[in-house]
Amino acid sequence: MDKETTNPERLETVEKVFVSFLFLHGLRKTPERIAMLKEIYAIESHFDVDELHFRLRNNGFRISRATIYNNLDLFLESGLIRKHQFGKGMAQYEESYFFDQHDHIILTDTGEVREFCYPRIQNIKKTIEETFGIVVDSHSPYFYATHKHKP
Amino acid sequence: MDKETTNPERLETVEKVFVSFLFLHGLRKTPERIAMLKEIYAIESHFDVDELHFRLRNNGFRISRATIYNNLDLFLESGLIRKHQFGKGMAQYEESYFFDQHDHIILTDTGEVREFCYPRIQNIKKTIEETFGIVVDSHSPYFYATHKHKP
DNA sequence: ATAACTGCAAATCATTTGCAGATCT
DNA sequence: AGATCTGCAAATGATTTGCAGTTAT
């Protein structure tokens, strides 16, 4: 049921992108990096370092947290994942290669994170660029909300 | 030139709000808390814990960082300040009692933070509430941008 | 061969906490 | 008086870093 199984081309594509990235930067293709990439693209939705670590170990792959932290930066640089800091605690990551830009609603009563894609935000981006004479590289509208029944 | 000097009523108002808050919660009106409040409402724009600490000491007020951290929570709870986590590093705060909801553009090349108020975002908020059946308590659109001349 | 990588443990940085002594009410 | 505060120093939690040994190219 995971993405890796249902659509092997997905993984092939990102692996190609990643290996090129490594080559272009004189970096090595290590088993740890490939295992991380496979695992990340098999995870649905968001994950943090602990979850990734746990999953890799569960699949019989020995890897240290330090290596995970270090290599996540590579995935970020190559544009294969996105990083979020929802409130406090560990940073959250998510695959990004096949995904549209989307935004997040954090439901503070249950902890759920919902995604939504809202083209109007692209318009706002454009307005900001014109008003301030700047280039908006990324934006992170987090909407903090609760379910309707207020406590 | 600071706000405290130019408009003494401002401070009077927030002090009243804060003292009521303390009383209602069975908390004490300590010199540290009052000094922090005065300093915060004299600061233009954003500040972090170190800056607040530095300013208080500069004004001859001895206070520990721990006390600052602890009391900032009280100002947050009473709605007198807002907290932001721009990227990594220390959290940033700003007074909020007299301020409209506004959003932030972080200029990643120079580190500047610009504010803007954009009513369209209020509309988006409303749409989200209707679409998902939730109540949006707050939102934090941070737009990360650079000046037009790309390096 | 050799520069890059991994894993460990120690270091760091922001923030929180435990506690003894001080202080509001 | 008595609960709440403050300040210190130690604890925490996430992430980074130094380094010795390992590995991809």
Side-chain angles (χ1 to χ4, degrees):
Chain A
M1 188 66 72
D2 68 18
K3 293 169 183 173
E4 197 178 340
T5 318
T6 51
N7 189 350
E9 285 168 37
R10 269 176 52 90
L11 183 58
E12 242 173 74
T13 306
V14 289
E15 199 169 323
K16 249 175 229 155
V17 171
F18 185 52
V19 170
S20 311
F21 173 87
L22 291 175
F23 179 75
L24 284 170
H25 293 254
L27 302 169
R28 289 183 356 210
K29 179 182 168 183
T30 65
E32 288 79 5
R33 286 169 182 171
I34 299 305
M36 281 181 67
L37 187 63
K38 284 185 180 171
E39 201 57 53
I40 288 170
Y41 272 75
I43 293 177
E44 312 270 344
S45 82
H46 304 87
F47 63 92
D48 62 26
V49 167
D50 270 3
E51 178 166 353
L52 185 54
H53 190 230
F54 176 79
R55 278 167 174 263
L56 285 164
R57 296 223 163 208
N58 252 28
N59 294 359
F61 202 93
R62 236 186 128 281
I63 188 173
S64 78
R65 234 175 286 269
T67 300
I68 292 180
Y69 274 109
N70 289 151
N71 287 335
L72 280 175
D73 289 342
L74 260 41
F75 294 123
L76 279 171
E77 279 163 42
S78 56
L80 293 176
I81 63 174
R82 250 196 296 277
K83 181 178 184 174
H84 301 285
Q85 188 68 53
F86 300 133
K88 59 195 78 181
M90 275 184 275
Q92 300 272 113
Y93 301 83
E94 65 182 325
E95 61 165 288
S96 66
Y97 192 73
F98 300 103
F99 280 17
D100 290 341
Q101 179 68 42
H102 61 257
D103 303 309
H104 296 87
I105 303 169
I106 296 116
L107 292 162
T108 47
D109 49 355
T110 60
E112 279 173 83
V113 176
R114 293 206 195 158
E115 296 167 0
F116 73 103
C117 187
Y118 207 61
R120 267 194 245 173
I121 289 180
Q122 302 307 316
N123 295 341
I124 292 180
K125 200 145 101 178
K126 211 160 275 169
T127 307
I128 289 169
E129 294 188 330
E130 284 159 17
T131 309
F132 291 91
I134 57 182
V135 181
V136 174
D137 303 309
S138 66
H139 69 285
S140 62
Y142 299 132
F143 292 84
Y144 296 91
T146 49
H147 294 83
K148 250 187 181 146
H149 50 83
K150 286 270 193 181
Chain B
M1 188 68 70
D2 68 17
K3 292 171 183 172
E4 196 176 340
T5 319
T6 51
N7 189 351
E9 284 169 39
R10 269 175 53 90
L11 183 58
E12 241 173 73
T13 306
V14 288
E15 200 168 323
K16 250 176 228 156
V17 171
F18 186 52
V19 171
S20 311
F21 172 85
L22 291 175
F23 179 74
L24 284 170
H25 293 255
L27 302 169
R28 290 187 350 215
K29 180 181 167 183
T30 64
E32 287 79 4
R33 286 171 182 169
I34 299 305
M36 281 180 67
L37 187 63
K38 285 185 179 170
E39 201 57 54
I40 289 170
Y41 272 75
I43 294 176
E44 313 269 346
S45 82
H46 303 87
F47 63 92
D48 61 26
V49 168
D50 270 3
E51 177 166 355
L52 185 54
H53 190 230
F54 177 78
R55 278 166 174 263
L56 284 164
R57 296 223 164 209
N58 252 26
N59 294 359
F61 202 93
R62 235 187 127 281
I63 188 172
S64 79
R65 236 175 284 267
T67 300
I68 292 181
Y69 273 109
N70 289 152
N71 288 335
L72 280 175
D73 289 342
L74 260 40
F75 294 123
L76 279 170
E77 281 164 41
S78 56
L80 294 175
I81 62 173
R82 251 196 294 278
K83 180 178 183 174
H84 301 285
Q85 188 68 52
F86 300 133
K88 59 195 78 182
M90 275 184 275
Q92 300 272 111
Y93 301 82
E94 65 183 324
E95 61 164 286
S96 66
Y97 192 72
F98 300 104
F99 279 19
D100 289 340
Q101 179 68 43
H102 60 257
D103 302 308
H104 296 88
I105 303 170
I106 297 115
L107 292 162
T108 47
D109 49 355
T110 60
E112 279 173 83
V113 176
R114 293 208 194 155
E115 296 168 1
F116 74 102
C117 188
Y118 206 60
R120 267 194 246 173
I121 289 182
Q122 302 306 317
N123 295 342
I124 291 179
K125 199 146 98 177
K126 212 162 275 174
T127 307
I128 288 169
E129 293 189 329
E130 284 160 16
T131 309
F132 291 92
I134 57 181
V135 180
V136 174
D137 302 311
S138 65
H139 68 286
S140 62
Y142 299 133
F143 291 84
Y144 296 91
T146 49
H147 294 81
K148 255 193 177 138
H149 49 83
K150 285 271 194 181

